[in-house]
Amino acid sequence: MKKIAVCYKWVLNDGDIRVNDKTRDLDFEKSKPQINEYDRNGLAVGVQLKEASGAELIGITCGVDTEPSAKDALSRGPDMVYYLNDPALAQADSAASSKVLAGMVRSLGDVDVVLCSECSSDDFAQQVGPRLGALLGYPVISYVSAVKLEGDALVMDRKLEEGTESVKVKAPVVVVVSPDVCEAPIPSVKQILGAKKKPANAMDLAGAGLGPDAVKPMVTVQSVKAPLTSRKAVNLLGDGESVADAVAKLVKQLSTDGLL
């Protein structure tokens, strides 16, 4: 194994998104970009495979204003990062993102393993990994909860609804890891400072073998609203009322609402 590529996404921190109580619109003004939390697990797995195989580890990302992501990504273990910025990707869906990432992987040449996370915190579409495999002609192993190197093959556990499946596959392959695959460590000060010395390479759509028309989204988002939550807030335990009476009222209320 000589080359591993890890895909990551530069997203807004959803913990800082605010909601307008009247319109339910989302306010992103105070939300700063960060590496998608799920992708940090993919980067951590990439480091593990790099240490086991001696392969070169490369981080790749695409979108708008992704250049600032390079320092954070490099502090997490990759030897280098390739980032692609283009306004055409402002509304990119999973299909468009997959095409760009596939083009970036091809441009690197002879990539043995492509690592992706299960989803991103903004779209949560869970499509990029399988789409990448289809575009590259690589087999895809999804829902991976554990991975290790055995000779020239990868042995992985897949966590399924009815149990765990163990699979063994040789490169090239796309591996889609689940959030519980490993802990994503916080970069140390030494790693953060060392990231400045690693190469961060800009790429454009032409370098990925694509033009603007090739990345037009198939799905467009019309609007995003916060969910509407309403509660009855019925108080069943009044002053001086016994618990038994309150339970009886609860049962009656649930029956009235058709829940019992």
Side-chain angles (χ1 to χ4, degrees):
M1 188 179 297
K2 297 181 179 180
K3 197 175 292 184
I4 302 168
V6 184
C7 306
Y8 70 89
K9 192 173 184 180
W10 193 233
V11 300
L12 292 176
N13 185 343
D14 52 10
D16 293 329
I17 298 174
R18 298 292 178 261
V19 177
N20 184 311
D21 293 333
K22 294 182 179 179
T23 64
R24 293 173 28 230
D25 289 332
L26 303 184
D27 180 3
F28 300 98
E29 184 177 353
K30 296 183 179 180
S31 185
K32 296 181 179 179
Q34 63 178 15
I35 290 179
N36 173 41
E37 290 188 18
Y38 303 100
D39 291 332
R40 298 173 196 175
N41 300 105
L43 287 163
V45 171
V47 171
Q48 293 175 4
L49 293 176
K50 170 190 171 182
E51 293 174 348
S53 66
E56 184 179 37
L57 182 62
I58 304 169
I60 60 173
T61 189
C62 65
V64 180
D65 298 327
T66 58
E67 182 178 358
S69 73
K71 181 180 177 182
D72 188 5
L74 288 168
S75 72
R76 297 176 185 274
D79 299 300
M80 66 181 68
V81 160
Y82 283 84
Y83 61 89
L84 191 152
N85 291 325
D86 198 290
L89 297 175
Q91 301 298 326
D93 58 4
S94 298
S97 297
S98 300
K99 289 179 184 177
V100 177
L101 291 171
M104 295 177 76
V105 170
R106 291 192 195 97
S107 72
L108 299 177
D110 300 323
V111 174
D112 299 291
V113 177
V114 180
L115 286 163
C116 299
S117 69
E118 191 173 294
C119 53
S120 62
S121 59
D122 52 357
D123 292 338
F124 215 90
Q126 298 179 295
Q127 295 184 24
V128 169
R131 285 180 177 275
L132 258 180
L135 291 168
L136 294 171
Y138 289 8
V140 179
I141 311 298
S142 57
Y143 303 110
V144 173
S145 58
V147 56
K148 62 181 178 179
L149 185 66
E150 284 190 5
D152 59 350
L154 293 177
V155 177
M156 291 165 278
D157 289 341
R158 302 180 68 231
K159 188 174 288 186
L160 307 177
E161 290 183 5
E162 299 179 355
T164 300
E165 178 183 70
S166 181
V167 298
K168 186 174 183 179
V169 63
K170 291 185 177 181
V173 62
V174 174
V175 179
V176 184
V177 299
S178 59
D180 59 350
V181 68
C182 68
E183 290 287 337
I186 299 174
S188 65
V189 174
K190 182 180 180 180
Q191 289 172 314
I192 294 172
L193 295 175
K196 298 179 181 179
K197 301 177 182 179
K198 297 180 181 180
N201 308 297
M203 186 182 290
D204 56 18
L205 287 177
L210 300 168
D213 290 340
V215 295
K216 289 182 178 179
M218 300 174 67
V219 177
T220 56
V221 178
Q222 299 298 315
S223 66
V224 178
K225 300 283 186 179
L228 182 63
T229 302
S230 61
R231 296 184 175 89
K232 289 188 175 182
V234 178
N235 184 6
L236 298 172
L237 188 59
D239 293 338
E241 191 169 22
S242 68
V243 174
D245 290 339
V247 170
K249 287 172 62 177
L250 174 61
V251 172
K252 183 178 180 180
Q253 183 67 53
L254 292 175
S255 297
T256 302
D257 292 341
L259 300 176
L260 285 179

